[in-house]
């Protein structure tokens, strides 16, 4: 040990300092870096993995040579819960499938039930569903982009994204009464009509949201660090993506033109003018760009729908399905009876089965519903878009760097609620 | 709803298709014998371009009017070029809970089959890694079966007793 009171000698390359300079032997310089395979558990609840996902990684140096994904134990028993409550009471469960776009899940489930009944909902309700769904598509994509940028070190886009999200949440709160757990739809239409002045307010918010989203885009899309980390990482071929069952922006980023809003239009999507952006490489950067473009298209849809929304009823006038208006409940015996039966027994959906799907923010949200003719669903299978996308995760990170796992996990936008059902 | 795929399927493998019908919304269904399933799925994928793998699930028909055999495994495939959707069904009896796996044909089938095994206890022979996917390995039984009580609980770590807690609707768990 050198004397601490003695001033340190001026460092010179010729005279080695035996205290601080360790000179390697010739043989050591040529030795290979020891790279024993290493096992790493990412998660459960790693800051970069959303939900209780656990990734078991097999590393060789920094390269992931093998990966296994455990979804984790957040299982809420979605199906079992739905099978033990009435059709209307399933709605709160569907909200919680995806906390970033509850209205889409809500309306998706109702659309499947209405198809099983064979019900056509009023046009105004269809427009409101489109508006709600597109608002939440922007909301979902903003969440994804903002979180991605934050996890790659960009905090400002995260704040812009959150500010824009707040605006959407405020409008949704005015519309439905809740910011996240909306439970807004009803079989045959909607819970209530648009509040007064809501359309003008939403249009104003859309301008601001557009501005903020553009700000995010301008900060990220050509940012050297961001682009370097996103381009060429997490690549999946179109063939593999189809094989895994990918849908939505992640599939379209591989160059597959498939959007249920165009392929099998539901509600009033066939009357609205919008484009479906298509990617090319199937890497993280394309998935990010896809979400940016889709937000612009959603903005277009929203402006058209808000301008064109017709007057009229918001729920079907059928007391076997929709609750009767309150004056009828208090004033007539038929109203009382149907109100009582709907609340106590639920809607009597005719026996049968149906598979129906809508385009949710992450892809095809499919419902396979079996009814035995009672007021409760016999079986509710949800085909959440996140489940197949997450199942491809181990294979697309294999061979990449550990650092690439973070952007890959972000851009596939895994949502705990829908994956864990 | 076009029935092109099912017509081709019936023409190609008449022995594989046990039944065909339309559900009340006009969706066309085919009930396939379990042993012919891999061949049927391979035909659909390679010849008829049903490449998008949607999902698999099962139905426990215990309380339905028609409940023999007890389980139905449902398969959904989609063709993007034809814009068509195919719904297949395989009936599984309780005495022989084993059907061929499609995991080598569709990569997406891997997790869905694990899901069906996890919640219904239907085994897929030839699956590379048939583990539970959402529940833990020590879990007893298959909770989405209709005879599994709604409020049955199997905590991995003993729960502290909490008084007056409402655990949702349904029968209390007596297992």
């Amino acid at each position: 040990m050198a004397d601490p009171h003695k001033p340190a000698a001026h460092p010179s390359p010729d005279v080695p300092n035996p205290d601080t300079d360790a000179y390697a032997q010739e043989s050591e310089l040529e030795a290979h870096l020891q790279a024993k395979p290493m096992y790493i558990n990412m998660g459960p609840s790693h800051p970069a993995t959303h939900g209780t996902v656990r990734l078991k990684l097999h590393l060789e140096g920094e390269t992931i040579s093998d990966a296994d994904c455990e979804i984790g134990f957040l299982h809420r028993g979605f199906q079992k819960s739905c099978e033990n409550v009435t059709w209307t009471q399933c709605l709160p469960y569907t909200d919680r499938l995806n906390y970033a776009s509850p209205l889409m899940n809500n309306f998706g489930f109702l659309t499947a039930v209405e198809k099983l009944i064979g019900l056509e909902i009023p046009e105004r309700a269809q427009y409101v569903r489109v508006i709600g769904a597109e608002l939440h598509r922007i909301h979902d994509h903003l969440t994804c982009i903002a979180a991605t940028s934050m996890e790659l070190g960009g905090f400002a886009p995260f704040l812009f994204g959150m500010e824009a999200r707040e605006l959407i949440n405020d409008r949704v709160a005015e519309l439905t009464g809740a910011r996240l757990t909306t439970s807004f739809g009803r079989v045959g239409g909607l819970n209530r009509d648009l509040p007064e002045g809501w359309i003008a307010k939403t249009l104003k918010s859309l301008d601001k949201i557009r501005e903020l989203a553009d700000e995010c885009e301008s900060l990220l899309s050509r940012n050297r660090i961001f682009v370097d980390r996103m381009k060429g990482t997490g690549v999946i071929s179109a063939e593999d993506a189809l094989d895994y069952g990918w849908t939505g922006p992640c599939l379209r980023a591989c160059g597959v033109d498939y959007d249920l809003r165009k392929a099998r239009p539901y509600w009033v999507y066939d009357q609205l003018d919008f484009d479906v952006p298509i990617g090319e490489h199937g890497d993280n950067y394309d998935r990010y760009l896809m979400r940016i473009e889709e937000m612009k298209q959603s903005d277009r849809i929203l402006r058209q729908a808000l301008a064109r929304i017709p007057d009229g009823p918001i729920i079907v006038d059928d007391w076997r399905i929709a609750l009767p208006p309150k004056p009828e409940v208090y004033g007539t015996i038929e109203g009382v009876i149907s109100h009582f039966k709907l609340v106590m027994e639920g809607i009597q959906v005719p026996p049968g089965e149906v598979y129906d799907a809508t385009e949710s923010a992450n892809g095809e949200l499919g419902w396979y519903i079996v009814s035995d003719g009672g007021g409760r669903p016999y079986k509710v299978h949800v085909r959440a878009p996140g489940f197949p996308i997450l199942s491809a995760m181990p294979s697309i990170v294999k061979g990449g760097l550990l650092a690439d796992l973070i952007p890959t996990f972000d851009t596939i936008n895994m949502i705990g609620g829908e994956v864990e059902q | 709803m076009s029935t092109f795929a099912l017509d081709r399927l019936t023409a190609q493998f008449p022995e594989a298709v046990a039944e065909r019908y339309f559900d009340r919304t006009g969706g066309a269904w085919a009930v396939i014998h379990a042993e012919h399933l891999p061949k049927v799925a391979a035909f659909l994928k390679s010849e008829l371009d049903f490449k998008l793998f949607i999902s698999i699930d099962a139905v426990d028909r215990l309380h339905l009017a028609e409940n023999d055999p007890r389980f139905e495994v449902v398969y959904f495939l989609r063709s993007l070029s034809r814009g068509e959707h195919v719904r297949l069904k395989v009936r599984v009896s309780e005495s022989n809970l084993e059907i061929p796996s499609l995991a080598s044909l569709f990569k997406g089938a891997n997790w869905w089959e694990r899901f069906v095994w996890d919640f219904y206890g239907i085994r897929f022979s030839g699956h590379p890694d048939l583990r539970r996917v959402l529940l833990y390995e020590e879990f007893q039984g298959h909770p989405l079966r209709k005879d599994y009580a709604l409020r049955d609980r199997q905590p991995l770590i003993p729960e502290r007793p909490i008084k007056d807690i409402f655990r949702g609707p349904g029968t209390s768990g007596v297992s």
Side-chain angles (χ1 to χ4, degrees):
Chain A
M1 199 54 202
D3 183 0
H5 302 293
K6 209 170 100 183
H10 191 70
S12 142
D14 313 324
V15 189
N17 181 350
D19 292 333
T20 56
D21 295 357
Y23 279 83
Q25 300 293 316
E26 220 33 45
S27 59
E28 277 177 47
L29 283 173
E30 281 166 17
H32 286 290
L33 189 67
Q34 248 200 11
K36 265 201 300 191
M38 182 158 64
Y39 297 92
I40 276 197
N41 282 305
M42 264 183 90
S45 304
H46 187 273
T49 65
H50 319 156
T52 54
V53 171
R54 171 179 172 225
L55 287 157
K56 291 187 278 186
L57 304 171
H58 187 181
L59 295 179
E60 271 166 21
E62 269 188 276
T63 313
I64 300 171
S65 57
D66 203 0
D68 186 20
C69 179
E70 267 183 28
I71 298 179
F73 188 52
L74 204 75
H75 179 53
R76 301 170 302 136
F78 174 79
Q79 290 193 19
K80 193 94 175 169
S81 309
C82 282
E83 286 160 18
N84 285 280
V85 293
T86 63
W87 294 93
T88 313
Q89 285 170 332
C90 292
L91 284 178
Y93 297 129
T94 61
D95 284 339
R96 284 152 181 78
L97 279 177
N98 185 342
Y99 53 82
S101 52
L103 279 174
M104 294 179 126
N105 299 285
N106 207 312
F107 295 155
F109 172 72
L110 291 172
T111 308
V113 176
E114 281 151 10
K115 195 173 175 194
L116 184 56
I117 303 176
L119 198 64
E120 180 79 19
I121 64 169
E123 205 182 356
R124 187 174 172 85
Q126 296 187 20
Y127 267 98
V128 176
R129 283 191 183 182
V130 167
I131 291 166
E134 295 305 323
L135 270 179
H136 266 155
R137 192 184 308 277
I138 299 181
H139 186 269
D140 195 304
H141 288 350
L142 272 174
T143 314
C144 178
I145 290 167
T148 308
S149 93
M150 183 190 62
E151 276 156 20
L152 298 182
F155 199 65
F158 175 72
L159 292 178
F160 292 137
M162 289 303 120
E163 191 184 341
R165 259 182 52 152
E166 277 309 297
L167 284 169
I168 298 178
N169 277 340
D170 288 348
R171 296 295 85 78
V172 169
E174 284 161 11
L175 180 66
T176 68
R179 284 160 57 85
L180 293 176
T181 52
T182 52
S183 304
F184 181 53
R186 291 290 180 273
V187 180
L190 302 164
N191 182 12
R192 68 187 106 168
D193 209 342
L194 300 179
E196 213 168 302
W198 190 79
I199 293 179
K201 234 174 174 180
T202 310
L203 282 169
K204 224 173 175 185
S205 305
L206 278 178
D207 292 338
K208 183 71 183 162
I209 291 161
R210 185 71 186 268
E211 207 176 284
L212 287 162
D214 284 350
E215 193 82 4
C216 281
E217 189 193 350
S218 65
L219 279 169
L220 293 173
S221 289
R222 275 166 294 146
N223 183 315
R224 188 76 261 160
I225 299 167
F226 187 77
V227 172
D228 279 351
R229 289 202 62 183
M230 301 290 270
K231 244 186 194 156
T233 57
V235 186
I236 186 165
S237 68
E239 205 173 288
D240 272 357
L242 288 171
D243 220 24
Y244 273 112
W246 283 31
T247 44
C250 294
L251 176 66
R252 291 194 284 274
C254 308
V256 181
D257 182 5
Y258 175 62
D259 188 321
L260 279 170
R261 292 175 294 173
K262 288 279 188 196
R264 270 186 340 106
Y266 49 95
W267 303 336
V268 286
Y269 276 117
D270 48 350
Q271 298 169 27
L272 300 164
D273 185 27
F274 64 101
D275 299 319
V276 178
I278 306 292
E280 200 176 337
H281 310 290
D283 60 357
N284 286 329
Y285 191 62
D286 273 20
R287 290 199 277 272
Y288 154 78
L289 284 181
M290 208 53 49
R291 294 206 160 84
I292 291 277
E293 284 304 315
E294 279 193 16
M295 288 202 295
K296 291 179 184 163
Q297 297 302 327
S298 291
D299 188 78
R300 258 176 88 187
I301 298 174
L302 275 168
R303 284 170 197 281
Q304 290 172 44
L306 286 168
R308 283 192 210 164
I309 183 165
D311 288 331
I314 45 130
I315 193 159
V316 289
D317 184 25
D318 184 343
W319 293 0
R320 293 168 301 169
I321 288 157
L323 285 176
K326 283 291 172 288
E328 305 290 334
V329 179
Y330 299 139
T332 64
I333 190 67
E334 292 85 358
V336 176
I337 291 171
S338 88
H339 190 281
F340 179 82
K341 283 187 88 73
L342 280 179
V343 171
M344 299 309 289
E345 291 171 8
I347 298 158
Q348 305 290 307
V349 174
E353 59 192 330
V354 66
Y355 177 86
D356 193 37
T358 54
E359 182 78 18
S360 109
N362 289 324
E364 174 169 343
L365 180 74
W367 299 88
Y368 171 61
I369 298 177
V370 180
S371 167
D372 58 357
R376 295 173 175 194
Y378 185 76
K379 156 97 190 165
V380 177
H381 159 65
V382 54
R383 186 258 182 221
F387 190 82
I389 294 179
L390 187 67
S391 79
M393 179 70 191
S395 82
I396 59 176
V397 298
K398 217 177 272 180
L401 295 178
L402 179 59
D404 293 345
L405 188 132
I406 309 297
T408 309
F409 202 88
D410 287 331
T411 51
I412 65 169
N413 199 8
M414 174 253 175
I415 302 279
E418 61 180 25
V419 170
E420 284 136 13
Q421 309 216 355
Chain B
M1 175 59 72
S2 126
T3 56
F4 166 82
L6 295 187
D7 290 343
R8 285 289 304 272
L9 198 65
T10 324
Q12 188 81 15
F13 306 112
E15 74 283 5
V17 182
E19 194 188 320
R20 281 180 56 177
Y21 68 95
F22 291 93
D23 65 24
R24 48 175 294 117
T25 60
W29 288 82
V31 184
I32 305 289
H33 291 299
E35 66 270 23
H36 297 295
L37 180 69
K39 156 173 106 177
V40 165
F43 175 73
L44 283 172
K45 187 184 178 188
S46 57
E47 300 290 317
L48 303 183
D49 196 40
F50 281 84
K51 292 218 170 80
L52 178 58
F53 185 83
I54 299 284
S55 67
I56 302 179
D57 205 337
V59 185
D60 182 357
R61 307 198 292 169
L62 190 64
H63 302 316
L64 284 182
E66 226 180 288
N67 60 1
D68 183 49
R70 181 170 165 191
F71 295 102
E72 260 176 1
V73 183
V74 288
Y75 293 84
F76 303 104
L77 300 173
R78 209 185 269 279
S79 158
L80 302 190
S81 58
R82 301 193 46 79
E84 205 184 345
H85 190 176
V86 147
R87 305 161 171 85
L88 300 177
K89 254 183 192 181
V90 172
R91 298 206 168 119
V92 188
S93 70
E94 217 177 343
S95 55
N96 182 20
L97 287 171
E98 184 143 339
I99 60 175
S101 163
L102 296 185
S104 55
L105 188 64
F106 289 104
K107 290 175 182 164
N110 190 317
W111 273 32
W112 284 112
E113 283 176 356
R114 284 172 64 186
F115 178 83
V116 173
W117 156 246
D118 194 351
F119 287 104
Y120 290 93
I122 295 165
R123 297 195 69 90
F124 292 85
S125 56
H127 190 286
D129 182 22
L130 198 63
R131 289 176 290 152
R132 287 182 181 272
V133 66
L134 286 172
L135 297 171
Y136 43 87
E137 284 298 324
E138 295 87 348
F139 197 90
Q140 298 289 317
H142 302 283
L144 280 184
R145 289 189 177 188
K146 288 286 177 185
D147 52 8
Y148 189 93
L150 178 66
R151 281 196 265 166
D152 201 352
R153 295 175 76 73
Q154 295 184 32
L156 204 52
I157 299 161
E159 288 178 348
R160 281 178 298 172
I162 302 168
K163 266 188 195 163
D164 305 329
I165 186 170
F166 178 62
R167 292 202 191 277
T171 53
S172 69
V174 184
S175 60

